[in-house]
Amino acid sequence: MDAILQVSVDGFRFENGSGSGSCCKPRNNLETQNQSSPPTDSPSPPSICQDNAPVLKYINDMLMDEEDFVEDNLALQAAERSLHELLHQPSSSSSESDDHSTTTTTTTLTDSGESHRKYRHRNDDGDDDVENGRRNKQPAIFVSEMEELAAKLEHVLLICKSNQEDNSSSSTTTTTTNRAKGGSSSNKSKTLKQPKAVVDLRSLLTQCAQAVASFDHRRATEKLKEIRSNSSSSGDGIQRLAFYFAEALEARITGIISPPLCTAFPSSTTSMVDILKAYKLFVHVCPIYVADYFAANKSIYELALNSTKLHIIDFGVLYGFQWPCLLLALSKRPGGPPMLRVTGIELPQSGFRPSDRVEETGRRLKRFCDMFNVPFEFNFIAKKWESITLDEITINPGETTVVNCIHRLQYTPDETVSLDSPRDTVLKLFRDINPDLFVFAEINGTYNSPFFMTRFKEALFHFSSLFDMFDTTIQAEDEYKNRALLERELLVRDAMSVISSEGAERFARPETYKQWRVRILRAGFKPASVSREILKGAKEIVRKRYHKDFLIDSDGHWMLQGWKGRVIYAFSCWKPAEKSTRDDHIIIV
């Protein structure tokens, strides 16, 4: 435990109160080499995100270890508590009080040891206070446990680590092949849950939305009742879609949104174990993050192939899931890894520590860099992106600079919220940084209309495809719990925002990739083509490992990902239209 804590905090310096800071300064190379050495098992050029099978097996083993860890720790706490009570118990205590004490002990251990991950409803105000108290007053032993847990969880991020001889490859490959072929087995449990009468839930949802838009609360309530009687959070794709859309419509009527779904951040009540399981399931059944991370990391690696210093400014770093694969590739780079500096930028969290999550991400990346012997420095900023100035981002001469923004810019307000368009302000900041490369990926969405009914219909089409995607690719009953969490965090949160909220409260504001193109060009960038090798590699990943209805195509300099012919995500790379040097001389490219 002490060793884990020492690794976690070694070399860190935090500047509290400013929402930004630096940590993870590079240590002496001799010290780092004594701790670990870079992998040297293959002289070939490093590969990025080529195989999931070994890591998925490792995750399973690690999760089983975590369950044993929790059980052993609970047993230890129970023994300590029993000894304490035995030493301090009055000799005349009755058996009845002993029974009560035992019951209380069991309840206390359950509350402190287990991870409560339910989504609290609107009437759980009392529970909120208790839960907040637990989070704000964590004992030292719990903090230590979370540090050890974080060190164990981080290996899930190495989805790129390839080992074709792994013992579990055959079973995983068989499952993946079945998914890629489309799967001939049908989900019998879903068939049993189908309502006897055929009900057009999409039509009911549209009628209910029209009633809500016209303030016909009586008719809207009737339609909601009918939708709820024919939908379920555990039914098939359209039933789950109808269930969550009904919740969003009801929230629009009442003006009350459940706390976990009213912000763009993942819920603070969702444990890292659940996030890990959901992420494992997502990369196993869906290529969206895998393909985009592969394309982004490959582009950055090719750019920095001969660089001695690499600075990545990651807008939306969150948990840092993207970077371990790149760190592994850099560690195997011919001539050794560059000096890597990462500036992690995130939105501030509520509470007294707005930068808590991004600081933890820095510690996690630091452990990876120590593991791979990559010189590393981490800086962080936790502020609203449109309020960040260029002076707050340290850019050193001689660095290869990359701005990275994957799937997060849609949460920055646009000109419909403020005339000066915070979204354009952030893009201008990207340009002012004057990066060697701007890596961008975003959802391809048309549900950003200022008119509710237009927005609702577009959202219905879009999320129908996504629910159908999960319904088709996730068929094992033991995956339903993780599927529910996945849908809550990736789909329901945005759908709730689009349907239930207006004005500044509507945080999800997607655009089509053609609209993004206009914005980025206007900000002063020019397109940099995605190489044929990257496009071919992404297509191979999808063809070999994922369902046949996943498609990757290109349109100009964009790499597009789709499901059953509908474009869902888009990836592109950009360079400044005018490359200015650090001494302010302008060179027209």
Side-chain angles (χ1 to χ4, degrees):
M1 184 72 71
D2 292 338
I4 292 174
L5 290 176
Q6 290 172 6
V7 171
S8 301
V9 300
D10 186 27
F12 274 68
R13 175 170 56 84
F14 297 114
E15 301 174 5
N16 296 328
S18 64
S20 63
S22 62
C23 56
C24 306
K25 298 294 184 183
R27 299 186 296 180
N28 187 291
N29 285 336
L30 294 178
E31 178 185 356
T32 307
Q33 290 172 1
N34 290 334
Q35 289 186 356
S36 62
S37 60
T40 58
D41 54 348
S42 174
S44 59
S47 60
I48 297 179
C49 300
Q50 294 298 317
D51 189 20
N52 280 349
V55 175
L56 294 179
K57 177 181 180 300
Y58 179 85
I59 298 168
N60 287 329
D61 296 340
M62 182 268 295
L63 289 175
M64 293 176 64
D65 292 342
E66 175 56 27
E67 293 176 358
D68 295 339
F69 170 78
V70 173
E71 291 176 0
D72 294 344
N73 188 59
L74 290 178
L76 176 61
Q77 292 185 46
E80 291 175 348
R81 179 66 179 266
S82 300
L83 179 62
H84 175 80
E85 291 177 349
L86 182 63
L87 293 175
H88 295 82
Q89 186 180 33
S91 58
S92 60
S93 60
S94 63
S95 59
E96 180 179 355
S97 63
D98 290 343
D99 295 339
H100 176 71
S101 176
T102 303
T103 303
T104 305
T105 301
T106 304
T107 304
T108 304
L109 290 175
T110 302
D111 288 343
S112 62
E114 294 182 355
S115 177
H116 294 269
R117 300 184 283 269
K118 69 174 185 176
Y119 290 97
R120 298 191 298 275
H121 296 288
R122 301 175 181 86
N123 57 352
D124 289 351
D125 295 334
D127 292 343
D128 287 349
D129 296 337
V130 175
E131 189 69 24
N132 288 334
R134 294 192 188 115
R135 289 201 302 269
N136 295 334
K137 298 181 179 180
Q138 296 173 346
I141 187 173
F142 179 75
V143 175
S144 300
E145 292 166 7
M146 295 310 295
E147 289 285 351
E148 182 170 348
L149 176 60
K152 295 167 70 177
L153 292 182
E154 61 194 15
H155 294 277
V156 68
L157 308 183
L158 280 174
I159 61 173
C160 54
K161 199 169 185 179
S162 178
N163 182 4
Q164 300 297 336
E165 302 300 325
D166 187 87
N167 294 331
S168 67
S169 295
S170 59
S171 60
T172 306
T173 304
T174 301
T175 304
T176 306
T177 303
N178 290 336
R179 295 179 193 272
K181 291 180 178 179
S184 58
S185 61
S186 60
N187 195 327
K188 296 180 179 180
S189 61
K190 295 177 185 177
T191 303
L192 296 176
K193 294 178 182 178
Q194 292 283 354
K196 294 181 179 179
V198 178
V199 177
D200 188 352
L201 287 171
R202 289 186 181 86
S203 178
L204 283 177
L205 287 169
T206 303
Q207 294 173 25
C208 183
Q210 290 172 341
V212 172
S214 60
F215 302 99
D216 188 348
H217 290 178
R218 182 185 63 80
R219 185 166 181 266
T221 302
E222 293 175 354
K223 292 298 179 182
L224 278 176
K225 184 178 180 180
E226 188 175 356
I227 293 169
R228 291 188 183 282
S229 64
N230 292 280
S231 64
S232 169
S233 61
S234 59
D236 61 20
I238 184 59
Q239 289 174 332
R240 299 197 307 277
L241 171 76
F243 177 85
Y244 292 122
F245 269 48
E247 280 194 342
L249 288 169
E250 182 182 12
R252 185 178 180 88
I253 295 173
T254 62
I256 301 175
I257 307 175
S258 300
L261 301 176
C262 60
T263 66
F265 264 129
S267 173
S268 59
T269 60
T270 305
S271 75
M272 275 301 296
V273 174
D274 278 349
I275 291 173
L276 169 70
K277 290 179 179 179
Y279 182 70
K280 168 195 168 183
L281 177 62
F282 187 61
V283 300
H284 189 60
V285 303
C286 179
I288 290 174
Y289 279 7
V290 175
D292 279 347
Y293 287 171
F294 166 78
N297 291 344
K298 185 74 171 175
S299 299
I300 296 172
Y301 179 84
E302 291 177 353
L303 176 73
L305 195 57
N306 299 314
S307 301
T308 58
K309 297 179 181 179
L310 175 61
H311 183 194
I312 299 175
I313 306 171
D314 189 4
F315 282 80
V317 64
L318 201 57
Y319 299 109
F321 284 177
Q322 177 180 349
W323 302 119
C325 289
L326 178 63
L327 298 179
L328 179 60
L330 291 175
S331 71
K332 297 181 178 182
R333 192 185 72 165
M339 167 61 204
L340 176 63
R341 195 155 64 92
V342 174
T343 299
I345 299 178
E346 258 304 342
L347 297 172
Q349 293 177 260
S350 59
F352 295 105
R353 299 200 63 185
S355 61
D356 190 42
R357 181 182 281 125
V358 69
E359 291 177 22
E360 175 57 33
T361 297
R363 287 190 284 268
R364 184 178 299 113
L365 294 177
K366 176 67 163 58
R367 286 193 288 265
F368 274 106
C369 287
D370 287 346
M371 185 189 311
F372 301 140
N373 198 19
V374 176
F376 180 72
E377 178 183 337
F378 184 80
N379 303 283
F380 62 89
I381 300 175
K383 295 176 63 176
K384 289 185 176 181
W385 295 1
E386 61 269 24
S387 66
I388 299 174
T389 63
L390 183 61
D391 294 337
E392 297 177 76
I393 302 174
T394 303
I395 302 175
N396 297 328
E399 291 181 329
T400 298
T401 306
V402 176
V403 170
N404 184 85
C405 188
I406 306 293
H407 304 163
R408 290 294 300 277
L409 198 54
Q410 67 151 323
Y411 300 114
T412 302
D414 57 17
E415 56 275 0
T416 62
V417 177
S418 176
L419 291 178
D420 55 1
S421 183
R423 184 167 297 183
D424 289 340
T425 300
V426 173
L427 285 171
K428 184 178 182 299
L429 174 63
F430 293 174
R431 178 59 187 83
D432 291 341
I433 292 173
N434 194 29
D436 295 280
L437 187 68
F438 168 34
V439 180
F440 176 75
E442 194 52 87
I443 196 168
N444 181 65
T446 58
Y447 48 95
N448 191 27
S449 170
F451 306 105
F452 171 69
M453 277 309 302
T454 302
R455 192 167 71 240
F456 180 87
K457 291 178 180 178
E458 293 292 343
L460 184 60
F461 290 136
H462 178 86
F463 288 101
S464 292
S465 295
L466 295 179
F467 274 95
D468 175 67
M469 178 181 73
F470 285 138
D471 198 46
T472 304
T473 58
I474 303 176
Q475 296 185 344
E477 292 188 10
D478 58 351
E479 294 177 338
Y480 287 173
K481 179 181 178 182
N482 295 326
R483 181 189 67 186
L485 174 61
L486 204 57
E487 290 176 344
R488 280 266 176 182
E489 297 297 341
L490 290 181
L491 309 183
V492 178
R493 187 182 307 278
D494 287 1
M496 181 69 72
S497 168
V498 168
I499 297 172
S500 65
S501 304
E502 295 289 350
E505 294 180 355
R506 178 163 62 89
F507 55 80
R509 296 174 177 273
E511 294 182 305
T512 66
Y513 71 92
K514 294 182 179 180
Q515 290 173 313
W516 284 116
R517 178 182 180 275
V518 173
R519 283 189 185 274
I520 298 174
L521 287 173
R522 191 169 59 208
F525 288 94
K526 66 178 182 179
S529 299
V530 178
S531 70
R532 292 183 179 179
E533 181 184 354
I534 292 176
L535 193 61
K536 180 181 178 181
K539 287 182 177 180
E540 282 296 300
I541 290 173
V542 173
R543 184 182 65 83
K544 291 181 178 179
R545 288 194 251 156
Y546 294 99
H547 193 279
K548 64 181 179 62
D549 286 328
F550 284 110
L551 298 174
I552 286 188
D553 202 352
S554 61
D555 181 11
H557 64 283
W558 292 88
M559 183 183 80
L560 307 177
Q561 294 193 67
W563 171 256
K564 293 184 178 179
R566 184 183 184 94
V567 178
I568 300 177
Y569 282 86
F571 171 89
S572 61
C573 292
W574 303 80
K575 291 187 176 181
E578 293 179 350
K579 177 67 177 180
S580 60
T581 60
R582 302 305 178 194
D583 56 0
D584 293 331
H585 292 292
I586 305 298
I587 303 175
I588 305 298
V589 180

